[in-house]
Amino acid sequence: MAREDLTRLTGGGSGNCDNKDCPNVYRAIDGSIVVQGDTDATFHPPAGEALVRIPESVLKEAVRALGW
């Protein structure tokens, strides 16, 4: 899947993302959710998975965008 295949749900509002490449939530073509954020090393997830950290405001914006 390419980045162009994702629908960006967040990032249109406030914040200090000059290059628009900061923590975001996307919806994939299959309806799944893709999250972009800073990596987090709180614990080591299973192979093929990663932990990312996003601000609460980004998650709230995504929920609003989805109409949940």
Side-chain angles (χ1 to χ4, degrees):
M1 173 175 8
R3 190 174 193 162
E4 295 77 30
D5 296 329
L6 301 173
T7 300
R8 188 174 180 157
L9 301 174
T10 60
S14 62
N16 55 359
C17 297
D18 296 331
N19 62 1
K20 304 224 183 270
D21 199 20
C22 55
N24 281 292
V25 178
Y26 302 86
R27 177 175 254 175
I29 293 172
D30 65 3
S32 61
I33 302 297
V34 177
V35 179
Q36 173 188 353
D38 296 327
T39 56
D40 186 284
T42 302
F43 67 91
H44 297 288
E49 296 182 6
L51 300 178
V52 298
R53 185 178 296 253
I54 62 170
E56 182 179 320
S57 61
V58 172
L59 185 56
K60 287 180 178 179
E61 185 181 352
V63 168
R64 281 192 299 275
L66 289 166
W68 295 350

